[in-house]
Amino acid sequence: MDYRLDPQVLDLAKSVTGCHGDEELGQKHLGKTGSTVRNYRIGKTNPPIGVLMVLRKLTGRPLDQMFLPIATPVAA
């Protein structure tokens, strides 16, 4: 089973840091562009471990609770 970052983690990080958008969160706290953070949000890419560690520190959310499973279609 595949996993993706739970977008609520990014929302919580924005809330605790006072950031108003993905661009601001990415630039001020994650060292990433807004486009990269949006890709994390929609599940196009997953953040590297360094970004996950920053998100964990900002949110207090354990790493194992930062991800959602992605349903894999069953072959017919």
Side-chain angles (χ1 to χ4, degrees):
M1 180 174 286
D2 290 326
Y3 293 88
R4 63 173 281 216
L5 182 67
D6 183 347
Q8 289 182 354
V9 172
L10 297 171
D11 293 337
L12 181 56
K14 287 193 311 188
S15 176
V16 299
T17 59
C19 291
H20 298 290
D22 290 341
E23 185 80 33
E24 186 177 4
L25 177 67
Q27 289 181 359
K28 287 187 175 180
H29 300 281
L30 305 178
K32 301 294 179 185
T33 65
S35 177
T36 298
V37 175
R38 286 186 289 281
N39 284 337
Y40 300 157
R41 180 178 294 284
I42 64 172
K44 185 173 181 180
T45 58
N46 276 318
I49 191 68
V51 171
L52 291 173
M53 297 307 285
V54 172
L55 289 170
R56 182 180 64 86
K57 185 175 181 179
L58 290 173
T59 66
R61 197 162 175 184
L63 291 175
D64 65 343
Q65 294 179 16
M66 286 190 181
F67 291 90
L68 300 172
I70 299 173
T72 308
V74 178

